[in-house]
Amino acid sequence: MKICDMGDKIIISDYGEFNLGLSLDCGQAFRWRMKPDLSWQGAAFGKEINIREENNTLIIKNSCIDDVKNIWIDYFDLNRDYGKILSAMSADSVLSEAVLRFGCIRILRQEPWEALCSFIISACNNIPRIKGIVERLCENFGEKKDSMYSFPSAKKISLLNQEDLSVLRAGYRIPFILDAARKVSSGEINLESMKSLSVEEAEKELMKINGVGKKVADCTILFGLSKSECFPVDRHIKRITEELYPNGFPAEYRDFAGIAQQYLFCLSLDK
DNA sequence: CGCCAGGCTTCTA
DNA sequence: TAGAAGCATGGC
């Protein structure tokens, strides 16, 4: 991988494959917006960034070399060899077709709390509305950066009450968000230390939170704890695996089942 | 307007 | 242990 600081922009190349737009807008993260010039505006870890992809290079604005090296390289999972994973998946006819169609979908390494909170909101909800609720959460309770707001910390949310959160218009999920914020900020649930647990152990911990079942826990583990062996099964994945894998999803892909899962999710969206 | 949404908790048999 | 009801709000 090559990183080049051009002053007004930073250019990254030689990172392998990356379908940036689809990766940012395939239902794994909810804060990325495409601008009229086709660049993507987003925020994570309290920082804002503008990024676009052209001819296998990434062009970054509104950031700095330190943040690129310390935050974004990792966030976009650029150190991982997806070529190896994609070629392994090409042995499966369903996944091979999906890879041809979608290119390289990377699993973003998101902040654990943001993933947890976002996927609590996602329960029995549609993606446009999830984005709206998350946006209101940030605008009302996050900190203003350049043009965006940061994702509010668990501590900040934990000090609020249901009435404060009614601006989110998140319905029955509001007490769930509060319970998660309180358990995380009190230390009863330690997301960072959960990275060293197995998927099963992490599920058990996360499901102590009211409103967190196996699916929300698994999305938190895959997208927030970056455990790519975790395979969240929602209504789409359930339907499409029953249809395309009558004998079950093949176990040989277990090390990166979560990445395969994202391809199946994209396939299911227009089927 | 009606159907549905990256589910979860609680109640019931 | 399995299945259904109820949950709040809106996207389409």
Side-chain angles (χ1 to χ4, degrees):
Chain A
M1 180 170 40
K2 260 169 51 184
I3 306 173
C4 199
D5 189 350
M6 312 289 281
D8 62 328
K9 62 189 173 190
I10 293 162
I11 295 181
I12 307 178
S13 54
D14 296 337
Y15 47 80
E17 300 175 71
F18 192 6
N19 185 336
L20 175 70
L22 188 56
S23 299
L24 298 180
D25 203 22
C26 65
Q28 59 168 323
F30 303 97
R31 298 205 64 203
W32 292 93
R33 303 286 185 274
M34 193 173 71
K35 299 180 73 170
D37 67 357
L38 305 187
S39 68
W40 292 86
Q41 191 76 22
F45 295 90
K47 305 280 187 171
E48 199 171 331
I49 186 178
N50 179 277
I51 183 167
R52 71 178 194 275
E53 189 261 322
E54 252 171 48
N55 306 320
N56 274 333
T57 61
L58 296 170
I59 300 144
I60 293 173
K61 293 185 175 174
N62 292 4
S63 189
C64 63
I65 191 72
D66 285 345
D67 287 348
V68 167
K69 287 183 173 170
N70 297 328
I71 297 173
W72 301 113
I73 296 287
D74 183 65
Y75 180 87
F76 295 116
D77 206 14
L78 292 179
N79 283 321
R80 183 161 186 162
D81 184 359
Y82 276 73
K84 204 169 72 183
I85 295 168
L86 299 192
S87 68
M89 292 201 303
S90 69
D92 177 273
S93 65
V94 171
L95 294 176
S96 133
E97 222 172 288
V99 169
L100 282 178
R101 181 162 156 202
F102 300 126
C104 181
I105 302 173
R106 288 174 181 260
I107 300 297
L108 305 172
R109 292 176 175 266
Q110 301 183 57
E111 289 178 271
W113 162 246
E114 177 173 342
L116 170 61
C117 194
S118 298
F119 282 94
I120 286 173
I121 291 166
S122 79
C124 194
N125 214 336
N126 56 62
I127 290 178
R129 201 166 84 93
I130 298 166
K131 288 179 177 173
I133 294 170
V134 170
E135 190 170 348
R136 290 191 287 280
L137 180 69
C138 296
E139 286 179 354
N140 281 281
F141 307 111
E143 286 170 30
K144 178 91 195 253
K145 297 299 169 184
D146 185 12
S147 69
M148 297 181 72
Y149 289 82
S150 65
F151 195 94
S153 67
K155 179 174 174 55
K156 177 75 186 282
I157 301 298
S158 72
L159 299 173
L160 305 173
N161 58 39
Q162 295 201 32
E163 194 184 325
D164 297 325
L165 289 173
S166 63
V167 291
L168 303 182
R169 307 199 302 278
Y172 59 80
R173 305 167 190 84
I174 284 176
F176 298 162
I177 295 169
L178 269 179
D179 189 54
R182 288 170 182 163
K183 288 194 167 102
V184 168
S185 68
S186 73
E188 184 178 343
I189 300 282
N190 188 327
L191 295 170
E192 279 306 321
S193 71
M194 221 179 272
K195 289 180 177 174
S196 63
L197 299 182
S198 69
V199 168
E200 292 73 21
E201 290 166 331
E203 281 173 345
K204 195 174 159 194
E205 274 298 295
L206 287 164
M207 286 166 68
K208 290 178 180 170
I209 298 166
N210 198 19
V212 177
K214 183 166 168 37
K215 192 271 172 181
V216 170
D218 284 349
C219 283
T220 306
I221 292 164
L222 175 61
F223 301 121
L225 303 183
S226 303
K227 292 186 181 293
S228 47
E229 70 272 30
C230 190
F231 190 86
V233 178
D234 70 348
R235 57 181 78 199
H236 302 288
I237 298 296
K238 181 175 188 309
R239 179 175 57 79
I240 202 163
T241 51
E242 282 171 354
E243 181 188 328
L244 300 176
Y245 298 97
N247 300 318
F249 183 73
E252 54 195 289
Y253 303 114
R254 79 175 85 79
D255 288 347
F256 45 85
I259 299 173
Q261 174 272 164
Q262 203 58 33
Y263 281 90
L264 297 177
F265 184 76
C266 288
L267 275 182
S268 75
L269 283 187
D270 50 12
K271 285 194 65 172

